[in-house]
Amino acid sequence: MADTSVPATETRQRLYSIIRKQIPFDKKAREVLEVGAEYLGLEYGYITRIDNEMGDWEVAITTDTEEFPVGLRCPLQNTHCRETITTETHYALYDAPSLGRADDPKPQARKQGTYLGIPLISNESLYGTVCFAAEEPRSDPFSDVETWFAEHLAGLLERELVRDRVEAKLTNQTNLATVLNRVLRHNLRNDISVIRGYTELLNEQVENVSTIQTILDHIDDLIEMSQKARELQQTVTAGSERRQAELGEFIQGIVHDIEQDYPEASISVEHDGKLHVDVLQNFDRAVEELVKNAAKHSGDTPNVTVAIDGAPNAAEIRIDDDGPGLPEDEAQVLTTGEETPLAHGSGLGISLARWIVTSHGGSLTAEVTEGGTTITITIPRQSGLGIQQQLTELSRSRDKYKSAFDEAVDAMVIADDDGRYIKVNDSATDLFGVPEGKLLGRTIADFIPEGVGFEEEWQQFRTADEQQGTVRIMRPDGSERIVEYAAKSNIVPGEHLSVLRDVTEREERKQELTALKQRYKTLLEAAPDPVFIADIETGEIINANAAAETTLDRSRQEIVGHHQSDLHPSDKSELYHELFQEHVQSEGMRRYLPDGAPIYMITGDGEQVQVEISVGRVSLPDGPVAFGIFRELTSRIDYTSETVQQLTTE
């Protein structure tokens, strides 16, 4: 039985901690197997390597190095693994003797009364199995939780195995390329030197000297190319130390040396003022290659100009020549660094220059016209970060990210491919009402009502890249929270970030306002007196009731949009504006204008009717508004006058 004294969530947390370690795969896998065997309550765990075609079985990694050591081999048919690899999930035996399997398989160092195996797949091909076993049988079958746990553990190992094999392949390829490069360059240089020596001897024995000279020129080109290949490799693996150089003097020195090799070329350097830049030790080789290329391929009397200009936070070096133009294939190599079998540079000088410039964080462009070629080098004025500085910056970025994650007011969680949380912040534990140790390894499905299709939603999210929405969660204490979330898949491969915000109070307030708005609409329509709703800031009428439509003899659509002062006599418009502003602030009932005159409303037939206005304010989902109830006073006044007259007569 699984060790119930240790919660499954804590066990999963241990697994994720091991997986994140930067240690060799075999050591990482052994630690994972130890956690799995402990959780399942079994004696040992092991990983096998299987050759299904040959029917061969071998222990690759194990927690039992004495009786079940690495390298133990036997025919596949004599193992439980032969059954395991025929399943897509797992193969389990909790009581092998009762099933007649106590002595099967026989090759292991001891019998297996209990066995749980899962196929191990690498790059869609069978690698072997992940197995847990014990000599004694169990009293109960494996539970769904236990088999799921074992399958999940195997899935983690599958990803780590793929990563380990890819890293090993890249390391081997790099080492092979380094060895081949060194051997080929050494052999090429030696063999070409021998060929050149014999060719020089032929030069003394044959009459066609020009042919021999052509051969020697090609040999010299190969020797030069070999040297540049060596320099190219040194450039790629060069360190990051820089020196400050004043570009004008720096390039003048380079040009002076080139002029000695190409006396027929006219090379000028143009610069205005001093411009200092931080350059790597090999930057002069890039400028030298490009200026030499211009001088070499621009005719019998080439004219080359090197112009130096400053740009925002950068320096520009333009090399102009009046030659036939850089070939398209070399321009492509220079600009993009890409070569194809049908389009490639004629030598390594162009590639060498590009490697050097890009290693400065700069760029190269080539513009070819009928008048020649312009090559522009752009590099930052100040040095980029060295390796140590880069590591420092990465460390700072990591610390900033960690601080932002840990201290965020919003809940933040990172889940693996199965949707299980592998990292959470304090706000997340507050939101879910669960301590970190019990939240790790769980999914949102553990907190949402039953019937919500978590698996389908999760797969849709992983393919959609981003997702936003609202979900209602149930916390262990029985309380419900409404959560607004924004999720991003694969922030790094296999890890998915969700930011969650508790919007329960906001949603409850929204519901209250919605209910209030409905009550307001009901009361508005039921009111016997005209009621007008106005914007507090502008005084514009935004709604009215049926009584208002009857009094004004206008439809609601015709009333809405007018200013509240349009309901009153126009000769005192400013006073009605003033009344509105005072009234919405103090609310209550008014019968008189600020100058003491009675308040009148203009009815649909143009009659002025004396009214009293009761004003109040109410907060609706769209914001606060003012409502005014207009009550006619004319009939009340007439009734009072008649009563007074009758009393006087009597």
Side-chain angles (χ1 to χ4, degrees):
M1 295 289 290
D3 184 0
T4 55
S5 64
V6 181
T9 51
E10 293 185 18
T11 302
R12 286 194 290 268
Q13 184 180 6
R14 289 175 61 193
L15 286 179
Y16 295 133
S17 297
I18 296 170
I19 291 298
R20 288 197 292 267
K21 288 182 179 180
Q22 299 298 319
I23 57 178
F25 172 74
D26 57 346
K27 184 176 181 181
K28 183 181 296 186
R30 190 176 301 110
E31 291 187 19
V32 168
L33 291 172
E34 288 172 352
V35 172
E38 177 185 342
Y39 176 77
L40 294 170
L42 300 179
E43 294 177 24
Y44 55 95
Y46 55 96
I47 294 175
T48 71
R49 186 182 295 111
I50 293 175
D51 186 336
N52 204 17
E53 293 183 0
M54 299 296 294
D56 191 35
W57 176 98
E58 178 184 5
V59 175
I61 299 171
T62 179
T63 62
D64 184 357
T65 56
E66 294 184 3
E67 298 189 52
F68 215 75
V70 171
L72 178 65
R73 299 169 66 94
C74 68
L76 177 61
Q77 64 180 357
N78 293 338
T79 70
H80 293 316
C81 293
R82 75 180 185 276
E83 303 289 348
T84 302
I85 61 175
T86 64
T87 72
E88 294 183 359
T89 55
H90 65 271
Y91 176 68
L93 289 172
Y94 75 96
D95 188 357
S98 67
L99 298 175
R101 303 295 296 272
D103 297 326
D104 182 17
K106 299 178 180 179
Q108 279 88 331
R110 56 190 178 192
K111 297 178 181 179
Q112 293 179 330
T114 305
Y115 172 87
L116 177 60
I118 308 95
L120 183 61
I121 308 300
S122 175
N123 292 327
E124 301 183 358
S125 299
L126 177 69
Y127 176 87
T129 56
V130 178
C131 309
F132 298 96
E135 184 174 351
E136 298 299 324
R138 286 169 40 128
S139 58
D140 299 309
F142 289 100
S143 68
D144 290 342
V145 172
E146 290 173 318
T147 55
W148 175 88
F149 173 82
E151 291 171 14
H152 179 67
L153 179 148
L156 294 176
L157 290 174
E158 282 181 355
R159 287 195 290 274
E160 290 303 306
L161 177 61
V162 170
R163 183 180 304 173
D164 180 70
R165 297 177 84 177
V166 169
E167 289 179 354
K169 184 176 180 180
L170 289 175
T171 300
N172 290 337
Q173 289 177 343
T174 301
N175 292 339
L176 178 61
T178 301
V179 172
L180 287 175
N181 180 58
R182 184 171 61 250
V183 172
L184 289 175
R185 281 193 295 101
H186 178 269
N187 292 349
L188 179 64
R189 185 169 59 250
N190 288 348
D191 291 345
I192 290 177
S193 298
V194 172
I195 293 172
R196 196 181 198 290
Y198 279 106
T199 304
E200 288 178 343
L201 291 175
L202 286 174
N203 192 28
E204 300 173 359
Q205 301 174 19
V206 300
E207 297 180 358
N208 193 345
V209 177
S210 62
T211 300
I212 297 299
Q213 187 58 48
T214 300
I215 296 173
L216 289 173
D217 290 342
H218 281 289
I219 291 173
D220 289 340
D221 288 343
L222 287 173
I223 293 174
E224 182 182 4
M225 185 180 296
S226 174
Q227 176 62 24
K228 287 180 179 176
R230 178 172 175 272
E231 293 178 7
L232 182 59
Q233 189 218 12
Q234 291 175 339
T235 299
V236 174
T237 58
S240 58
E241 283 192 28
R242 301 201 181 209
R243 57 192 170 98
Q244 190 174 80
E246 196 287 301
L247 276 185
E249 297 177 359
F250 181 79
I251 292 179
Q252 284 281 17
I254 295 172
V255 167
H256 179 269
D257 293 338
I258 295 174
E259 286 177 329
Q260 309 305 311
D261 297 330
Y262 298 91
E264 68 283 0
S266 174
I267 309 175
S268 60
V269 180
E270 299 177 357
H271 61 97
D272 186 12
K274 294 183 179 295
L275 184 62
H276 292 84
V277 294
D278 292 334
V279 295
L280 296 170
Q281 302 298 320
N282 53 16
F283 184 65
D284 57 340
R285 290 292 289 121
V287 177
E288 179 184 353
E289 283 296 333
L290 296 174
V291 175
K292 270 187 177 182
N293 193 69
K296 186 176 181 180
H297 301 291
S298 298
D300 296 333
T301 56
N303 290 296
V304 180
T305 302
V306 183
I308 305 167
D309 286 314
N313 301 318
E316 260 187 16
I317 304 170
R318 292 193 312 279
I319 303 170
D320 294 290
D321 66 55
D322 59 354
L326 192 68
E328 183 179 350
D329 51 5
E330 293 197 6
Q332 178 179 337
V333 173
L334 184 65
T335 304
T336 67
E338 297 178 355
E339 296 195 40
T340 69
L342 298 178
H344 55 83
S346 59
L348 291 177
I350 294 292
S351 296
L352 177 61
R354 186 180 184 281
W355 266 103
I356 293 173
V357 172
T358 54
S359 67
H360 282 75
S363 62
L364 270 177
T365 59
E367 182 181 357
V368 181
T369 65
E370 294 181 357
T373 301
T374 299
I375 294 176
T376 303
I377 304 172
T378 304
I379 61 169
R381 290 195 191 187
Q382 294 186 348
S383 64
L385 298 175
I387 297 300
Q388 188 56 47
Q389 289 174 292
Q390 291 179 31
L391 292 174
T392 301
E393 288 300 315
L394 286 173
S395 177
R396 288 176 181 171
S397 297
R398 180 202 61 205
D399 292 342
K400 288 179 181 177
Y401 155 76
K402 187 176 185 302
S403 176
F405 185 93
D406 292 340
E407 304 300 328
V409 175
D410 290 331
M412 302 181 77
V413 296
I414 295 176
D416 63 11
D417 283 337
D418 296 321
R420 298 192 174 276
Y421 298 146
I422 58 176
K423 185 171 178 58
V424 299
N425 66 356
D426 290 341
S427 296
T429 64
D430 293 339
L431 173 64
F432 288 101
V434 176
E436 179 181 3
K438 293 185 178 180
L439 185 55
L440 290 170
R442 302 180 74 172
T443 75
I444 191 66
D446 297 325
F447 299 93
I448 58 179
E450 293 183 6
V452 178
F454 166 72
E455 290 295 337
E456 182 179 349
E457 289 285 338
W458 180 252
Q459 294 307 320
Q460 288 179 358
F461 159 63
R462 289 185 58 194
T463 57
D465 184 46
E466 294 182 0
Q467 196 173 73
Q468 296 179 342
T470 304
V471 64
R472 187 180 296 271
I473 67 170
M474 178 72 74
R475 305 203 299 184
D477 62 5
S479 62
E480 288 190 6
R481 309 304 293 173
I482 302 172
V483 176
E484 188 176 75
Y485 66 88
K488 170 73 176 174
S489 64
N490 291 305
I491 54 170
V492 296
E495 296 187 6
H496 317 284
L497 172 68
S498 296
V499 181
L500 308 103
R501 176 172 297 175
D502 188 342
V503 295
T504 306
E505 294 182 2
R506 186 190 75 186
E507 291 300 314
E508 290 175 348
R509 178 59 178 159
K510 186 184 295 185
Q511 292 174 6
E512 291 174 0
L513 290 174
T514 300
L516 178 62
K517 187 173 183 179
Q518 185 59 45
R519 291 196 298 271
Y520 138 74
K521 286 183 177 180
T522 302
L523 293 172
L524 179 67
E525 293 305 320
D529 296 316
V531 181
F532 300 91
I533 311 299
D535 184 285
I536 289 178
E537 298 295 330
T538 66
E540 178 182 312
I541 299 172
I542 58 178
N543 204 353
N545 67 349
E549 291 180 298
T550 301
T551 301
L552 297 183
D553 194 22
R554 283 187 283 174
S555 68
R556 199 166 311 192
Q557 289 74 16
E558 293 174 310
I559 298 172
V560 170
H562 287 274
H563 193 273
Q564 59 81 27
S565 62
D566 294 340
L567 302 172
H568 308 284
S570 59
D571 59 338
K572 292 191 175 183
S573 177
E574 292 185 6
L575 286 173
Y576 282 104
H577 271 281
E578 184 180 343
L579 173 67
F580 178 81
Q581 295 300 326
E582 292 179 357
H583 212 172
V584 297
Q585 295 301 322
S586 58
E587 303 185 67
M589 187 271 288
R590 296 285 193 281
R591 286 188 178 181
Y592 303 101
L593 290 169
D595 66 352
I599 299 173
Y600 290 95
M601 181 177 72
I602 306 297
T603 64
D605 57 8
E607 181 184 357
Q608 292 191 18
V609 179
Q610 187 177 348
V611 295
E612 67 178 17
I613 306 175
S614 296
V615 172
R617 296 164 59 120
V618 63
S619 295
L620 298 176
D622 300 331
V625 296
F627 64 90
I629 303 173
F630 287 57
R631 181 164 297 166
E632 185 180 344
L633 295 178
T634 303
S635 60
R636 186 180 303 177
I637 292 172
D638 291 344
Y639 170 78
T640 302
S641 298
E642 291 175 2
T643 303
V644 171
Q645 186 177 4
Q646 289 176 0
L647 290 173
T648 304
T649 303
E650 294 176 357

